[in-house]
Amino acid sequence: MAFKYSFILLALCIGYCSAQAGLIPIDAPFNADTFCKQISRDGNYPFPNDCSKFASCTGDIATFQSCSADLFYNPASDNCVFQKDVECLHRIAENVCYKAKDSGFGHFTIPRSGTLRQLTLQHKSGFVSCDASNSAAESFWGCGLGFRSVQMATVVTRQNNTLLFPFFALGTDGYYGLARTDFRSRTLTLYNFDGEIQITKGEKIRIWHGEDLVNQGEEGNNSGEHCVDVWAVLKRE
Ligand SMILES: *[C@@H]1O[C@H](CO)[C@@H](O)[C@H](O)[C@H]1NC(C)=O
Ligand SMILES: *[C@@H]1O[C@H](CO)[C@@H](O)[C@H](O)[C@H]1NC(C)=O
């Protein structure tokens, strides 16, 4: 059973992750009665999963508005801009399930070519565990034992198993650490800091438990199956 503490890259996330704060929580229900109640301040907010729309909140009242054709709403400048000038978070796959052992990766298909800047995995159901005999080991993203934020092991690779996310090297045990996310967070957001991951329409991308990917014989105790929706910022060139 591996829950050694892996190398942590907290500092890198701190500046960059806060710059992403314009994205509203993707768990929020998308209806006019509840939308603005999730948000504490009046203003315009990106509409979940449709970047051509935005919502205006005044108190608890939402009005939904659309940008004109071919434009996307840009929360940073609070206006509609050309699509190439904004990073838009779309849901690109639903209910992708992966297991914690026996090459039990899940996969999804890339819907259009571009630069992959961010992936957000949203918990739907299930769990993965690093110790089948201990219910405390159940987690959404790795191992439920030990210090929460370094027990992350959900990783994303290409079809040839080269690592896409996290963007830094995994620990030899298949684990990594993240700031502001832990193994019970409902979403796992992974950023590509150099912005250079080119991805092609039709590519099959894999979601793994890290211990299953590095396959050092420690996965034998693992168990569970975890299902997620996949959201991505796929920037057009
Ligand atoms: C399974 O977990 C138990 C208890 O943590 C441990 O003693 C054992 O070595 C583990 N087995 C494997 C194959 O990892
Ligand atoms: C894996 O695939 C990517 C993209 O198709 C390619 O750039 C990379 O060289 C491949 N890596 C290996 C080890 O085959």
Side-chain angles (χ1 to χ4, degrees):
M1 177 175 59
F3 57 98
K4 294 171 225 117
Y5 295 162
S6 304
F7 186 58
I8 317 175
L9 268 156
L10 296 178
L12 274 170
C13 196
I14 287 164
Y16 194 88
C17 298
S18 56
Q20 302 291 319
L23 297 172
I24 63 161
I26 61 177
D27 284 307
F30 307 156
N31 73 61
D33 291 338
T34 58
F35 186 92
C36 292
K37 292 180 182 157
Q38 322 279 326
I39 293 164
S40 52
R41 271 186 299 155
D42 287 2
N44 296 327
Y45 293 90
F47 192 86
N49 207 27
D50 184 346
C51 299
S52 68
K53 297 199 177 106
F54 59 97
S56 296
C57 290
T58 308
D60 286 348
I61 310 299
T63 50
F64 294 109
Q65 307 188 48
S66 292
C67 294
S68 41
D70 300 328
L71 301 184
F72 276 168
Y73 177 69
N74 180 10
S77 55
D78 192 21
N79 61 1
C80 295
V81 299
F82 292 116
Q83 292 185 11
K84 67 174 176 49
D85 294 332
V86 69
E87 306 209 332
C88 171
L89 187 66
H90 283 284
R91 182 162 52 200
I92 60 169
E94 289 183 64
N95 221 36
V96 180
C97 301
Y98 62 101
K99 295 181 177 154
K101 63 176 180 180
D102 300 335
S103 296
F105 61 84
H107 59 84
F108 61 92
T109 305
I110 293 293
R112 64 166 194 278
S113 301
T115 305
L116 187 56
R117 308 264 309 161
Q118 174 188 335
L119 268 191
T120 294
L121 306 181
Q122 179 185 17
H123 165 75
K124 299 303 284 188
S125 62
F127 63 86
V128 282
S129 170
C130 57
D131 185 350
S133 65
N134 182 355
S135 62
E138 293 173 7
S139 74
F140 293 157
W141 310 114
C143 178
L145 304 176
F147 182 58
R148 282 181 160 224
S149 63
V150 294
Q151 290 296 85
M152 307 299 290
T154 296
V155 304
V156 178
T157 72
R158 294 193 197 256
Q159 200 164 7
N160 63 10
N161 294 345
T162 55
L163 193 63
L164 289 177
F165 295 99
F167 81 108
F168 46 85
L170 286 183
T172 53
D173 57 3
Y175 284 84
Y176 60 94
L178 281 184
R180 301 188 191 181
T181 302
D182 67 47
F183 54 71
R184 300 250 162 73
S185 300
R186 298 188 66 82
T187 59
L188 168 61
T189 290
L190 299 163
Y191 297 103
N192 167 24
F193 288 89
D194 68 11
E196 292 304 321
I197 298 177
Q198 297 294 330
I199 206 122
T200 311
K201 181 178 175 178
E203 253 192 83
K204 291 216 180 339
I205 301 301
R206 297 177 170 183
I207 303 176
W208 292 83
H209 190 284
E211 277 193 300
D212 191 15
L213 176 66
V214 303
N215 216 352
Q216 290 201 322
E218 303 235 17
E219 69 180 81
N221 258 353
N222 291 3
S223 67
E225 182 174 40
H226 185 217
C227 300
V228 299
D229 283 357
V230 180
W231 299 66
V233 174
L234 253 174
K235 199 160 187 196
R236 280 166 218 199
E237 295 311 302

